[in-house]
């Protein structure tokens, strides 16, 4: 066992509450959570929903990742991922430094092909391979922008590629719990996207920033404001790529509104997303080959996933499971998205005492996207629930707990 990942979120809340010298009643007052509910969460008798985690993190003055125990340093060291992060940071720091004269630059098409290949690996959850490729790819993208300094389509394309590389960097760093690196990469994306000539690229940056603003600052309200701005500024031209971006933004606003316990707003955003999904079906925008639509899949299926998110935030686990049972995946769907769904389903199953089903869902998530699953905070929480639910864990559960660092 390890000193960070063997604790559930409730234990970390209790420790930080003691550090702040808050009583249960005081923290409950600051976080707008009842004392009895907070006590059950600290004791591991009730799940800490995303909305409660966000409220408590804000009341304690810490990030959500701190309550989740991220980053999982010992696991990163075991997987030799920690050694890959410093070169990524160094490459970002040298973003605008001209390369040595003896560096042979790649063509736009060569860089584009490499970005597409890395994007596919990111969608498959192969974070180690992505992290290993990123330093050189970051440099390639930076050199490409520096070489194409004359206004025109090639310059815009170079900036679009640079923005996508920065986005991939931010996503991988975020998934591994390195929020400082994720913020740095996202700032680079924000600088590059407006020069891409693609308003969708700007909207995608705001989407990613909404996700990470909430995760880092426990400010779902700011995330909603970012999404609202992105939706307002992105003209609805009916193009499949635009519909994919708009729909994804609406679902993010729905989930973030649910985190704030503004369930009326969450349902309103979800309703708008359903309307866009109907447009998307007519425009054949459901399919999402990585790299062609910003790796954002959107359609009726994604609306169902959004409905599950809202239900989970409301602690309506039975409703979440009912919706989950209607989900059918298309062929060749992104492994990270499938694994994310299975992780959410496992959480609902665990908290409705369907322990064997929960472990089965976790196993499938591991088979689908191992690294995403291994470093996902909800997996750690769910495994903890399963361990605490029985006096003696099965060999299979013990093996899974050891693999996931619990």
């Amino acid at each position: 066992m390890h000193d960070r990942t063997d604790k559930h979120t409730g234990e970390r809340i209790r420790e930080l509450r003691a550090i702040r010298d808050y009583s249960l009643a005081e923290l409950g007052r600051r976080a707008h959570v009842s004392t009895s509910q907070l006590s059950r969460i600290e004791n591991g008798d009730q799940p800490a929903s995303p909305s409660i985690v966000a409220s408590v993190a804000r009341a304690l003055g810490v990030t959500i990742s701190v309550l989740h125990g991220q980053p999982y340093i010992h696991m990163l060291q075991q997987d030799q991922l920690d050694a890959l992060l410093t070169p990524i940071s160094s490459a970002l720091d040298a973003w605008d430094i001209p390369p040595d004269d003896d560096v042979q630059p790649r063509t736009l098409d060569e860089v584009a092909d490499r970005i597409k290949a890395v994007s596919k690996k990111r969608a498959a959850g192969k974070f180690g391979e992505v992290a290993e490729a990123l330093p050189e790819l970051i440099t390639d993208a930076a050199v490409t922008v520096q070489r194409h300094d004359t206004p025109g389509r090639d310059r815009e394309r170079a900036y679009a590629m640079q923005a996508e590389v920065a986005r991939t960097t931010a996503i991988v760093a975020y998934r591994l719990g390195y929020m400082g690196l994720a913020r740095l990469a996202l700032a680079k994306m924000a600088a590059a996207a407006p020069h891409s000539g693609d308003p969708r690229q700007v909207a995608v940056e705001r989407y990613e920033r909404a996700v990470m603003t909430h995760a880092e600052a426990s400010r779902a309200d700011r995330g909603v404001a970012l999404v609202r701005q992105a939706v307002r500024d992105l003209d609805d031209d009916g193009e499949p790529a635009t519909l994919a971006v708009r729909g994804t933004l609406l679902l993010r606003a729905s989930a973030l509104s649910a985190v704030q316990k503004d369930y009326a707003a969450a349902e309103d955003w979800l309703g708008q997303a359903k309307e866009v999904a109907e447009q998307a079906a007519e425009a054949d925008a459901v399919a999402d080959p990585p790299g062609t639509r910003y790796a954002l899949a959107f359609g009726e299926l994604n609306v169902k996933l959004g409905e599950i998110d809202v239900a989970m935030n409301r602690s309506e686990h039975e409703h979440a499971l009912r919706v989950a049972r209607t989900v059918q995946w298309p062929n060749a769907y992104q492994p990270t998205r499938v694994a994310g769904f299975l992780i959410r389903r496992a959480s609902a199953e665990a908290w409705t005492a369907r322990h064997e089903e929960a472990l089965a869902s976790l196993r499938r998530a591991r088979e689908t996207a191992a690294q995403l699953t291994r470093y996902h905070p909800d997996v750690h929480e769910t495994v903890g629930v399963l361990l605490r639910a029985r006096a003696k864990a099965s060999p299979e559960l013990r093996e899974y707990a050891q693999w996931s660092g619990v």
Side-chain angles (χ1 to χ4, degrees):
M1 294 295 177
H2 300 275
D3 62 348
R4 296 191 72 186
T5 54
D6 61 354
K7 299 174 183 176
H8 57 78
T9 298
E11 287 180 286
R12 295 189 190 94
I13 291 173
R14 182 189 293 116
E15 289 180 353
L16 287 163
R17 178 170 64 79
I19 291 171
R20 298 288 187 271
D21 197 25
Y22 293 162
S23 65
L24 267 172
E26 175 64 11
L27 179 57
R29 183 185 66 79
R30 290 172 178 265
H32 306 289
V33 179
S34 72
T35 302
S36 58
Q37 188 176 29
L38 193 56
S39 177
R40 291 193 297 272
I41 290 170
E42 287 192 352
N43 292 326
D45 298 327
Q46 177 178 325
S49 68
S51 59
I52 291 177
V53 171
S55 297
V56 171
R58 188 161 56 249
L60 291 170
V62 299
T63 66
I64 291 174
S65 59
V66 167
L67 293 186
H68 285 153
Q70 294 176 293
Y72 310 125
I73 300 297
H74 73 283
M75 292 166 59
L76 289 164
Q77 291 171 340
Q78 289 174 3
D79 293 344
Q80 298 182 332
L81 291 177
D82 60 318
L84 300 177
L85 297 173
T86 297
I88 293 173
S89 180
S90 297
L92 287 175
D93 287 336
W95 184 269
D96 54 355
I97 298 176
D100 296 333
D101 293 336
D102 59 349
V103 173
Q104 182 63 37
R106 290 183 170 88
T107 66
L108 278 169
D109 287 341
E110 288 173 337
V111 177
D113 287 343
R114 298 187 76 222
I115 291 173
K116 184 177 181 179
V118 169
S119 294
K120 286 182 178 179
K121 290 180 179 179
R122 185 190 80 201
K126 299 177 180 178
F127 297 148
E129 294 181 35
V130 173
E132 191 170 6
L134 275 174
E136 186 175 1
L137 194 56
I138 290 168
T139 300
D140 284 344
V143 171
T144 301
V145 165
Q146 293 167 20
R147 287 179 60 234
H148 295 85
D149 55 358
T150 302
R153 183 65 197 117
D154 283 350
R155 182 174 183 269
E156 290 179 343
R157 187 182 175 198
Y159 271 112
M161 291 191 295
Q162 190 178 44
E164 186 58 29
V165 171
R167 179 187 175 209
T168 291
T169 305
I171 290 172
V172 171
Y174 168 71
R175 288 297 184 187
L176 297 179
Y178 279 82
M179 297 305 300
L181 181 58
R183 283 198 312 272
L184 174 61
L186 207 53
K188 300 298 186 182
M189 183 184 181
H195 300 290
S196 68
D198 183 357
R200 292 179 292 243
Q201 191 75 262
V202 176
V204 170
E205 183 275 327
R206 288 174 178 166
Y207 166 82
E208 300 293 358
R209 186 150 41 110
V211 173
M212 295 181 200
T213 293
H214 166 54
E216 179 67 0
S218 310
R219 292 298 302 265
D221 56 332
R222 292 179 182 173
V224 172
L226 278 167
V227 171
R228 183 179 290 110
Q229 181 183 20
V231 172
R232 184 183 65 240
D233 293 347
L234 182 61
D235 291 336
D236 185 3
D237 56 12
E239 290 292 323
T242 302
L243 291 171
V245 174
R246 288 181 64 85
T248 303
L249 286 165
L250 293 168
L251 290 179
R252 175 53 52 183
S254 175
L256 290 173
S257 295
V259 168
Q260 297 181 89
K261 301 181 182 180
D262 188 349
Y263 301 123
E267 294 295 339
D268 181 60
W269 288 111
L270 195 59
Q272 294 181 56
K274 289 179 181 177
E275 294 177 3
V276 175
E278 293 172 1
Q279 291 179 266
E282 294 175 3
D284 192 29
V286 177
D288 177 38
T292 62
R293 288 174 185 158
Y294 315 93
L296 296 176
F298 184 73
E300 181 182 356
L301 167 61
N302 305 90
V303 174
K304 287 185 178 181
L305 300 182
E307 188 176 349
I308 292 172
D309 280 340
V310 173
M312 293 294 286
N313 272 289
R314 300 181 76 158
S315 297
E316 295 176 350
H317 302 115
E318 290 287 357
H319 176 66
L321 287 177
R322 284 196 295 273
V323 177
R325 293 189 186 102
T326 70
V327 170
Q328 294 183 338
W329 299 102
N331 293 330
Y333 206 72
Q334 287 186 14
T336 51
R337 293 187 182 278
V338 177
F341 160 75
L342 291 168
I343 290 166
R344 279 175 283 183
R345 190 176 75 183
S347 177
E349 288 167 337
W351 287 106
T352 53
R354 295 174 171 88
H355 300 143
E356 295 304 320
E357 291 93 332
L359 184 55
S361 293
L362 290 177
R363 283 200 311 269
R364 286 188 59 194
R366 177 179 176 176
E367 293 166 359
T368 304
Q371 286 188 322
L372 172 75
T373 303
R374 180 166 158 85
Y375 290 97
H376 201 295
D378 288 353
V379 169
H380 291 235
E381 285 299 300
T382 300
V383 171
V385 171
L386 297 180
L387 288 170
R388 293 190 296 274
R390 59 195 70 189
K392 185 177 181 180
S394 67
E396 187 178 21
L397 178 56
R398 287 200 303 271
E399 187 279 329
Y400 199 99
Q402 183 177 18
W403 174 78
S404 60
V406 178

